[in-house]
Amino acid sequence: MADDMIKMYIEKRHKYEAKIQQDLEKIEKSAIDIAEVGDYFSVQNDELLITIKAIMKDDEKHIAVYTSENPTEIPLCELTITENPDLIMWIIQNDQLIKEGFKEVLINAVRNAENIVNTLKQLKVNYE
């Protein structure tokens, strides 16, 4: 009886972890085309500063996360429930915020580029 309970628990845990992994991959895919490597934004969550950043790892672009407590960039697809349960829950609950954050970074980059080009035009610099 106890062995059956353990097997059932392990099976449910594996299903839960697989679902979380799919959710994280979906969130990463939703932001990957918007973000350029090096783009990042930060969000203050209670006492924790959470930074979401586009990085290159193993010749692939990833969306990574790091916090004020753990400054190591971890791609979303590499987060584990045993090491980062609260962070994973925050990411899944705020998936729209992640996509919108990178859109805002993109909009600001376009605005800044326009401002730079306009400044160079005013200075009559060949900006091409």
Side-chain angles (χ1 to χ4, degrees):
M1 179 84 170
D3 286 345
D4 289 342
M5 291 293 287
I6 291 171
K7 284 179 187 176
M8 188 176 80
Y9 170 78
I10 291 170
E11 200 173 286
K12 290 230 181 251
R13 181 176 172 148
H14 286 284
K15 284 181 185 177
Y16 184 66
E17 288 173 346
K19 168 81 171 92
I20 287 172
Q21 197 61 40
Q22 288 172 348
D23 289 347
L24 291 173
E25 287 171 8
K26 192 166 77 174
I27 292 167
E28 186 173 55
K29 284 180 185 173
S30 75
I32 204 102
D33 291 334
I34 301 169
E36 292 295 323
V37 172
D39 288 352
Y40 72 94
F41 64 95
S42 297
V43 178
Q44 186 76 37
N45 179 33
D46 299 326
E47 301 294 315
L48 201 60
L49 182 66
I50 300 171
T51 301
I52 311 292
K53 184 176 182 180
I55 65 167
M56 283 298 281
K57 185 172 182 184
D58 301 327
D59 296 325
E60 286 186 43
K61 184 165 51 167
H62 289 280
I63 304 301
V65 62
Y66 60 95
T67 67
S68 48
E69 288 179 356
N70 183 4
T72 304
E73 296 169 347
I74 306 170
L76 297 187
C77 62
E78 293 180 12
L79 288 172
T80 61
I81 193 73
T82 51
E83 293 174 9
N84 312 94
D86 295 337
L87 188 55
I88 286 174
M89 290 311 298
W90 183 89
I91 290 167
I92 290 172
Q93 290 169 351
N94 291 283
D95 65 330
Q96 274 304 111
L97 176 87
I98 293 169
K99 194 160 43 170
E100 294 302 317
F102 279 117
K103 281 183 185 174
E104 198 60 37
V105 169
L106 180 63
I107 289 166
N108 286 334
V110 170
R111 282 187 191 136
N112 287 337
E114 287 172 359
N115 290 339
I116 290 167
V117 169
N118 289 335
T119 301
L120 292 172
K121 283 180 181 177
Q122 292 297 320
L123 295 171
K124 298 187 179 0
V125 172
N126 182 356
Y127 57 90
E128 292 180 28

